[in-house]
């Protein structure tokens, strides 16, 4: 989570409608067209199927109630508008109530390739489609509940689990390695880098390892964790995550394999 932002979320009007400028809608249009052209062979089939369900407009930023309706029909989730940055407790509380927090501003043209802060393209295009998958939705809800139950000192550790799955997860498929993390699927540059670069370390997903591995928010990821199936997340959703957090804390953090700047 960035400590400060040059962006501010846009406030919905009395009817819950958010007014975007032509230029902002144009940024959405460029981003969605660009990402859609890169998805084939890059992202998992579950995400592509979910995009069909969401059926996002291309010429304008969708309104949150439209996105919520599609989610509600499938898994009972909705999207809640939030300021650019929110604290851990508010974040966990929303997830536990099946509400995905969405910052409502969109990136400026000069930030097209990568933005540390989550903008509405990241939130909607990146995050919401997989929330129509019952396994992914169950994991995200269970994660929020675990966050509320966890001691404050373990929030940063739980943030790593979210980071290495929901934000930057990879998954094996019959056709090869694919991305599913929102941070990857909403980033033109990282979508290619995550699968094709020789630089990052790609490790099989292990919940304890993910809890213990430091990450950086300011560069393409040096480490990715790869799931074999979303069933793994569904199984985690049935478990009590707190004992795992306790175990990970006792085991201690993994030593970083890259320079630690702006880590979380
Ligand atoms: Co995100």
């Amino acid at each position: 989570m960035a400590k400060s932002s040059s962006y501010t979320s846009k406030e919905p009007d009395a009817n819950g409608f958010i007014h975007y400028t032509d230029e902002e809608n144009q940024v959405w249009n460029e981003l969605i067209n660009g990402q859609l052209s890169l998805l084939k062979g890059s992202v998992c089939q579950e995400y592509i199927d979910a995009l069909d369900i969401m059926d996002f407009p291309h010429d304008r930023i969708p309104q949150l109630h439209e996105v919520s309706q599609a989610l509600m029909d499938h898994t009972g989730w909705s999207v809640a508008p939030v300021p650019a940055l929110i604290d851990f407790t508010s974040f966990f509380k929303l997830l536990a109530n099946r509400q995905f927090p969405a910052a409502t501003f969109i990136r400026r043209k000069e930030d097209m390739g990568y933005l540390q802060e989550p903008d509405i393209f990241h939130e909607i295009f990146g995050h919401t489609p997989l929330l129509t998958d019952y396994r992914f939705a169950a994991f995200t809800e269970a994660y929020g509940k675990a966050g509320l139950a966890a001691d404050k000192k373990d929030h940063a550790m739980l943030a790593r689990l979210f980071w290495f799955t929901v934000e930057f997860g990879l998954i094996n498929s019959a056709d090869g390695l694919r991305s599913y993390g929102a941070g990857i699927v909403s980033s033109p540059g990282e979508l290619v880098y995550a699968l094709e670069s020789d630089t990052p370390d790609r490790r099989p997903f292990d919940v304890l390892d993910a809890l213990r591995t430091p990450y950086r928010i300011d560069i393409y990821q040096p480490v990715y964790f790869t799931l074999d199936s979303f069933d793994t997340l569904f199984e985690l959703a049935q478990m009590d995550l707190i004992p795992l957090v306790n175990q990970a804390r006792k085991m201690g953090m993994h030593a970083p394999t890259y320079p630690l700047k702006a880590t979380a």
Side-chain angles (χ1 to χ4, degrees), residues 118 122-123 127 162 167 182:
H122 168 81
E123 312 281 33
H127 279 291
F162 193 84
E167 293 290 0

Side-chain angles (χ1 to χ4, degrees), residues 91 100 118 122-123 126-127 162-163 166-168 182-183 186:
F91 180 66
F100 200 87
H122 168 81
E123 312 281 33
H127 279 291
F162 193 84
W163 189 264
V166 175
E167 293 290 0
F168 288 96
S186 64

Side-chain angles (χ1 to χ4, degrees), residues 7-139:
Y7 288 97
T8 325
S9 264
K10 300 189 76 142
E11 294 279 339
D13 69 14
N15 298 316
F17 189 89
I18 301 173
H19 297 268
Y20 291 104
T21 65
D22 290 348
E23 193 176 325
E24 288 168 331
N25 284 321
Q26 181 61 30
V27 169
W28 170 273
N29 176 257
E30 279 180 37
L31 284 168
I32 195 165
N33 287 339
Q35 289 311 87
L36 289 174
S37 73
L38 295 172
L39 293 186
K40 201 170 163 12
S42 305
V43 306
C44 65
Q45 192 58 42
E46 288 90 339
Y47 176 83
I48 290 177
D49 292 344
L51 265 186
D52 279 345
I53 293 173
M54 300 310 291
D55 196 22
F56 296 131
H58 290 197
D59 59 339
R60 62 175 176 86
I61 300 170
Q63 293 294 318
L64 299 186
H65 67 85
E66 298 173 89
V67 179
S68 293
Q69 191 59 56
L71 296 179
M72 197 59 80
D73 289 346
H74 284 80
T75 50
W77 276 73
S78 63
V79 185
V82 296
L85 306 165
I86 59 171
D87 59 62
F88 275 121
T89 303
S90 311
F91 180 66
F92 293 137
K93 205 175 274 177
L94 284 164
L95 297 183
N97 288 311
R98 293 194 222 157
Q99 289 184 293
F100 200 87
T104 52
F105 67 89
I106 195 156
R107 70 194 74 180
R108 291 180 281 264
K109 290 221 179 219
E110 61 266 29
D111 291 329
M112 226 49 172
Y114 181 80
L115 185 65
Q116 284 187 31
E117 305 145 61
D119 73 342
I120 194 149
F121 183 73
H122 168 81
E123 312 281 33
I124 289 187
F125 186 84
H127 279 291
T128 65
L130 277 177
L131 286 169
T132 60
D133 181 296
Y134 75 97
R135 299 163 298 178
F136 195 87
F139 172 72

